[in-house]
Amino acid sequence: MSGSPRQVWFVDDNRAAHEMFRIAFSGLDAGISVRGFFSAEEVVGALIGGETPNLILLDINMPGLGGFHLLKERARNNIGYVPVMILSTSANPDDIRAAYSHGANAYVEKPPDLESLESFARAVSAFWFDLAILPPSSPAARALLPVSQKPTRG
């Protein structure tokens, strides 16, 4: 693992869900920092402002622009290399199809309790930060490289 924490952005309008996700991810010894957003608009602003997480966990059903809008903005702003995992209470096949057609990398039903959420956090960490390989040209991928492999400026 590199010296900088891995950034996971959690986007959901439910304050209780934010607290549960912080607890679940803080229990991991994986150098993961969770940043919470309560709307897609907040995330779009951060992305356009040049901030880049390693992973976005996104609810689709939120007031305002919602998760599908964020997926569209992600593609429009050339940051499609940032993986997005949809977390939703909906198992509606139309929502699932729409999420993938808008560029989601995964679709998961929200874990119903803290125990399930802790298991989910371990699985997310293992997959996205131990197994998956992000494109080397992405800022997110460069942040995960060991110091000896990071490009240097000449």
Side-chain angles (χ1 to χ4, degrees), residues 11 25 31-32 50 56 59 70 72 74-75 78 89 98 102 109 122-123 144:
V11 188
F25 277 93
I32 296 173
I56 298 173
D59 184 20
L70 178 55
K72 291 175 192 174
R74 172 179 157 248
N78 199 26
T89 55
H102 285 91
E109 281 190 80
R122 285 190 299 276
L144 295 177

Side-chain angles (χ1 to χ4, degrees), residues 6-139:
R6 295 158 176 173
Q7 293 288 317
V8 173
W9 288 3
F10 177 65
V11 188
D12 195 307
D13 60 317
N14 182 319
R15 291 194 182 277
H18 278 261
E19 185 59 27
M20 287 182 60
F21 270 79
R22 278 195 204 338
I23 291 168
F25 277 93
S26 69
L28 301 176
D29 185 26
I32 296 173
S33 173
V34 177
R35 180 175 174 189
F37 294 86
F38 292 95
S39 72
E41 293 91 342
E42 288 179 76
V43 176
V44 170
L47 291 170
I48 290 172
E51 297 180 60
T52 310
N54 301 102
L55 174 66
I56 298 173
L57 302 176
L58 176 63
D59 184 20
I60 54 173
N61 297 314
M62 295 182 288
L65 298 178
F68 290 131
H69 179 79
L70 178 55
L71 288 171
K72 291 175 192 174
E73 285 297 319
R74 172 179 157 248
R76 189 177 331 198
N77 288 288
N78 199 26
I79 49 175
Y81 55 81
V82 176
V84 174
M85 177 181 272
I86 299 297
L87 294 174
S88 182
T89 55
S90 170
N92 181 321
D94 293 335
D95 288 342
I96 296 167
R97 266 191 294 282
Y100 282 111
S101 71
H102 285 91
N105 300 96
Y107 191 106
V108 178
E109 281 190 80
K110 280 185 189 173
D113 54 46
L114 186 56
E115 184 179 336
S116 300
L117 189 53
E118 288 170 338
S119 177
F120 168 82
R122 285 190 299 276
V124 165
S125 176
F127 178 78
W128 288 109
F129 300 128
D130 295 337
L131 296 175
I133 300 171
L134 298 174
S137 62
S138 75

